[in-house]
Amino acid sequence: MADKGGHPGAPGRAPEAGRPDKVRNVVLVGHSGAGKTTLAEALLAETGTIQRAGRVEEGTTVGDFDEVEVRQQRSVNLAVVPFMAGDVKVNLIDTPGYADFTGDLRAGLRAADAALFVVSAVDGVDGVTRLLWEECAAVGMPRAVVITKIDQQRGDFDEVLATCQDAFGEGVLPCYFPVGEGDRPTALVGLLTQRCFDYSGDGRRECDPDPALLDRIAELRGALIEGIIQESEDESLMERYVGGEEIDVKALIADLETAVARGSFYPVLTTSVPHGDHPGPVIGMRELLEVVTQAFPCPAEHAVPPVTAVKGGPPKAVACDPDGPLVAEVIKTTSDPYVGRISLVRVFSGTLRPDTVVHVSGHGLADRGHEDHDVDERVGALGSPLGKAQRPMASCAAGDICAVAKLTRAETGDTLSDPAAPMLMAPWSMPDPLLPAAIRARSKADEDKLGQALARLVAEDPTLRLENNAETHQLVLWCMGEAHADVLIERLRTRYGVEVERVEPRVPLRETFGGRAEGLGRHVKQSGGHGQYGICQVEVEPLPPGSGLEFVDKIVGGVVPRQFIPSVEKGVRQQMARGVAAGYPLVDLKVTLFDGKAHSVDSSDMAFQAAGALALKDAAAKVPVLLLEPVDEVAVLIADEYVGSVMSDLSARRGRVLGTETVPGGRTLIKAEVPQLEIVRYATDLRSLSQGTGTFSRAFLRYEPLPPQLTDKVAAAERAG
């Protein structure tokens, strides 16, 4: 593409766009370790936003400023790093590459108008990146590919280019290719201009390419031109090109930019950033900036997500207009015990100004601990984030992104709108958290602070679901994976000063009778004063699954007074809730009260409640008590190549595979019934089996008897716990 240069941004000053056509919102997508954060640092340094690029290894990058990120040397949070490239403001959205933090990745896709797929020349394309490419394709999001780490010893440009073309399909073509000595590239050759851009000296120098490269340039250039012409609106170009006519480079560049913005052509660029033992020059930043600012669409060219009134109704037409009605969305919420809550907001319509009242709407995530809410709040200061720093902004117009202070009720995914006409944006797709992490406070002081700290974490993270299980009496964090759970526990400790420890999650089992039995309940205490007297006899037999308790009164002759028969039933129900063998609730029983005795003075409601409970326990001692385990209906979506290993693994988990279904894109949906005891950690295990590409859903189906060989083991573990 043409070299239009750019003016460095002013350090310490918030970049200002002015209008939507001068904004580019670009999300960085790629697997962990591909070099997204390093690339963002290089772009910040190239545009003069920062004086010197930081390094992930040293914990000095702008995007990774969280304590966990610095220590783990990887991104776990979404970060926005704005800069000016010429007169265009670029909001670069750096997202985590690890699958556990896909919530922040989805938020980045929502806030962006184009995606930059970062692919390591060493590691290539993983399965998760392929799925994300398909996800972007489904919504028509414009994309480009950036190949990083070409200066590393195992970095092979040709090999990784072929991998990208195989993974991402047609329209993925290079605009430049690297040249240099050995594994250290020093220049890029532009295929359209047929010029060499040499970075070996101070800055970039344009020169003629090495004559030895002319054949390769001709081959790659021909493929690029044909790809551009196929997407061109000028149907005569192909005939002219085939006829041998030299097509004007400016026309080709214009067609390329149009095709990229339309989401039908995907240029491949190459970068190299100094690191470790490779102190070579920074390569490819100016070429990348040209694509971002000239080829990627502005917010006005990207459709606004569906918007409705808070009370429902048909979708409303909303355009990216600074003078239109206010519609904005909270894409990320962070809480700090000292600073308070900071909301990262993408404005889709209207203009957001400080010290104004907005309507905050949050709907659709009640099952994850986010109660539906509609409140009016006053906006605090607006800022442009740059790492920990917040640079003041006078306003934030449609298409731009800003940080908002003091929105105490706003949570990730909430809509901000005009209080006079409150609106609600359709929520973005968010995966279900399926890994349970049971926790408990280490001390009474920690327990007192735990509730408020967890409420703040839930408000920040829509991929976290908090459950206070009434049956197991455990506090459970439903997470995306082990790394997600570890980060949450670490944040409780470092951010809120709450120490917790993980415990083994308990699966809520059930008990039932293995046969018919009679039981005697005798509760007699007469030791002076008012005594207690209640005797009852019951017959207990199991019922079909799902029947609950059937209580039958067959008392004859008033041996148990009528007013005490409900007391016997109440005692039976209380004992069923406590269990009789391993402490799990008893279910699906028919209990028949057929005899008993009472005392004219000492009988009471409490005495017959106790007698009913004792009668049930006595009957349980005479027959086997079966443990019932919950069984889930599980649907696993997997790439075809992993079907065999996944089905074998499900069978090893005592699962029953019900069938398979072919899904477009080379995937298979496997349906099975699997005991909950066997899939507590399945979210982690499936990721390992499928190289991170498998997903699954689960829903409770029924209770079934636990196999005899496991009954004693589970009961013993429960008693020990």
Side-chain angles (χ1 to χ4, degrees):
M1 297 180 65
D3 176 20
K4 297 185 181 179
H7 303 289
R13 179 183 172 189
E16 298 179 7
R19 57 182 196 267
D21 64 324
K22 294 297 182 182
V23 177
R24 302 292 184 272
N25 296 310
V26 182
V27 60
L28 294 178
V29 178
H31 63 80
S32 185
K36 299 183 298 297
T37 302
T38 300
L39 181 63
E41 286 291 303
L43 288 170
L44 288 173
E46 175 70 23
T47 56
T49 309
I50 57 177
Q51 298 298 324
R52 187 176 72 88
R55 296 183 59 185
V56 172
E57 298 84 356
E58 298 172 356
T60 55
T61 62
V62 170
D64 291 351
F65 58 87
D66 187 279
E67 291 182 15
V68 177
E69 294 175 314
V70 172
R71 185 171 58 257
Q72 295 186 0
Q73 296 184 11
R74 68 176 178 187
S75 300
V76 300
N77 296 309
L78 175 149
V80 177
V81 286
F83 57 81
M84 294 299 296
D87 61 348
V88 175
K89 179 183 179 182
V90 179
N91 290 313
L92 198 63
I93 306 169
D94 186 13
T95 61
Y98 199 63
D100 278 22
F101 309 106
T102 187
D104 278 34
L105 170 61
R106 296 293 176 89
L109 291 173
R110 174 65 160 231
D113 303 304
L116 210 52
F117 277 73
V118 182
V119 177
S120 165
V122 176
D123 302 318
V125 180
D126 67 347
V128 175
T129 306
R130 292 173 187 248
L131 294 178
L132 286 172
W133 183 275
E134 294 176 9
E135 190 174 321
C136 290
V139 297
M141 178 173 282
R143 284 147 282 162
V145 178
V146 181
I147 297 176
T148 61
K149 302 185 179 180
I150 56 171
D151 54 345
Q152 293 198 9
Q153 188 171 2
R154 293 186 295 115
D156 188 318
F157 174 79
D158 293 330
E159 183 178 338
V160 75
L161 174 62
T163 301
C164 290
Q165 291 173 332
D166 177 66
F168 303 146
E170 297 181 359
V172 179
L173 293 168
C175 293
Y176 302 87
F177 70 87
V179 294
E181 297 180 3
D183 61 352
R184 295 194 179 185
T186 57
L188 294 176
V189 174
L191 294 176
L192 290 181
T193 60
Q194 302 183 81
R195 301 292 291 168
C196 180
F197 302 101
D198 188 0
Y199 287 89
S200 59
D202 186 12
R204 186 176 84 160
R205 182 177 63 88
E206 185 176 339
C207 59
D208 293 327
D210 187 334
L213 298 172
L214 294 181
D215 288 343
R216 188 182 186 198
I217 293 173
E219 179 185 356
L220 294 176
R221 187 173 190 267
L224 176 61
I225 292 176
E226 288 181 13
I228 295 172
I229 289 176
Q230 286 178 0
E231 300 298 331
S232 175
E233 296 177 353
D234 185 351
E235 298 179 357
S236 67
L237 276 183
M238 182 60 76
E239 293 182 9
R240 290 158 51 194
Y241 177 71
V242 173
E245 181 179 338
E246 184 67 27
I247 307 300
D248 181 54
V249 172
K250 290 183 179 180
L252 289 173
I253 290 174
D255 283 339
L256 182 149
E257 293 173 351
T258 301
V260 172
R262 208 164 46 208
S264 58
F265 186 82
Y266 320 104
V268 178
L269 300 108
T270 307
T271 64
S272 175
V273 179
H275 59 90
D277 298 329
H278 298 270
V282 177
I283 294 175
M285 296 304 129
R286 292 175 68 176
E287 290 78 9
L288 178 56
L289 287 172
E290 289 170 9
V291 169
V292 168
T293 57
Q294 298 170 37
F296 278 168
C298 69
E301 299 173 277
H302 196 234
V304 175
V307 178
T308 61
V310 169
K311 296 181 180 179
K316 296 179 177 291
V318 176
C320 183
D321 180 4
D323 298 321
L326 177 64
V327 180
E329 189 171 38
V330 179
I331 59 173
K332 176 72 177 177
T333 305
T334 57
S335 297
D336 187 278
Y338 305 105
V339 178
R341 185 170 293 187
I342 300 293
S343 303
L344 197 62
V345 174
R346 160 75 193 262
V347 180
F348 287 93
S349 173
T351 300
L352 188 64
R353 294 182 173 85
D355 201 34
T356 57
V357 177
V358 298
H359 185 81
V360 180
S361 298
H363 293 256
L365 288 174
D367 61 325
R368 301 193 185 185
H370 301 255
E371 295 181 358
D372 289 355
H373 51 274
D374 288 284
V375 295
D376 290 347
E377 286 199 82
R378 184 173 296 277
V379 173
L382 301 185
S384 177
L386 187 66
K388 294 182 180 180
Q390 295 289 336
R391 299 166 293 175
M393 294 177 67
S395 63
C396 186
D400 208 350
I401 297 174
C402 67
V404 182
K406 298 182 180 179
L407 290 177
T408 56
R409 284 301 307 278
E411 300 179 353
T412 301
D414 283 4
T415 304
L416 310 183
S417 57
D418 188 339
M423 288 186 266
L424 185 68
M425 299 194 78
W428 63 78
S429 172
M430 201 61 77
D432 291 325
L434 294 171
L435 180 75
I439 61 171
R440 64 185 174 202
R442 287 191 175 175
S443 67
K444 182 64 170 65
D446 292 320
E447 189 173 344
D448 294 339
K449 297 184 292 183
L450 182 58
Q452 185 178 8
L454 287 174
R456 290 182 175 179
L457 287 181
V458 169
E460 295 177 18
D461 189 352
T463 61
L464 167 64
R465 178 163 62 88
L466 180 63
E467 177 190 12
N468 203 336
N469 194 299
E471 290 191 34
T472 64
H473 307 292
Q474 286 187 317
L475 189 61
V476 181
L477 304 179
W478 286 89
C479 309
M480 297 302 300
E482 286 293 344
H484 189 201
D486 291 343
V487 166
L488 292 171
I489 292 172
E490 182 69 8
R491 281 181 180 156
L492 286 173
R493 184 182 67 83
T494 59
R495 189 182 294 178
Y496 303 109
V498 179
E499 295 280 356
V500 299
E501 58 187 10
R502 288 185 65 172
V503 294
E504 193 68 26
R506 295 176 58 195
V507 174
L509 303 184
R510 297 285 187 270
E511 299 175 359
T512 195
F513 275 39
R516 177 187 167 281
E518 292 185 0
L520 171 65
R522 178 182 176 85
H523 184 72
V524 177
K525 292 185 178 180
Q526 294 173 308
S527 57
H530 193 284
Q532 298 181 49
Y533 192 99
I535 299 175
C536 65
Q537 284 186 277
V538 298
E539 180 185 69
V540 185
E541 55 186 303
L543 292 177
S547 301
L549 169 65
E550 181 183 339
F551 186 83
V552 180
D553 170 19
K554 285 191 176 181
I555 292 297
V556 179
V559 291
V560 176
R562 305 304 305 171
Q563 68 268 29
F564 295 135
I565 290 175
S567 303
V568 175
E569 181 180 356
K570 187 175 182 180
V572 168
R573 290 186 180 277
Q574 290 174 345
Q575 188 60 50
M576 287 180 67
R578 292 191 294 265
V580 293
Y584 296 110
L586 267 168
V587 295
D588 304 329
L589 297 179
K590 179 180 179 180
V591 179
T592 303
L593 175 63
F594 65 89
D595 200 2
K597 291 182 181 180
H599 190 278
S600 59
V601 176
D602 293 339
S603 289
S604 64
D605 171 61
M606 294 302 297
F608 273 98
Q609 282 190 42
L614 290 170
L616 187 65
K617 292 179 69 175
D618 184 56
K622 300 173 182 176
V623 294
V625 176
L626 306 178
L627 285 183
L628 304 177
E629 61 178 340
V631 176
D632 281 357
E633 186 176 34
V634 177
V636 184
L637 184 61
I638 200 75
D640 290 345
E641 59 191 292
Y642 302 115
V643 168
S645 57
V646 169
M647 291 180 69
S648 298
D649 179 71
L650 289 173
S651 298
R653 296 173 186 270
R654 298 188 287 122
R656 293 184 291 274
V657 176
L658 303 179
T660 61
E661 180 181 330
T662 301
V663 176
R667 281 174 285 178
T668 298
L669 182 67
I670 304 173
K671 294 184 178 180
E673 296 176 358
V674 189
Q676 283 187 15
L677 284 169
E678 304 291 344
I679 55 172
V680 173
R681 291 182 49 82
Y682 194 58
T684 301
D685 298 338
L686 177 62
R687 187 177 299 161
S688 176
L689 278 171
S690 64
Q691 304 298 313
T693 61
T695 60
F696 79 103
S697 61
R698 55 188 284 189
F700 172 74
L701 189 61
R702 61 178 175 270
Y703 276 91
E704 291 184 355
L706 190 69
Q709 67 270 22
L710 295 178
T711 300
D712 293 341
K713 178 181 177 182
V714 172
E718 179 62 29
R719 287 191 293 270

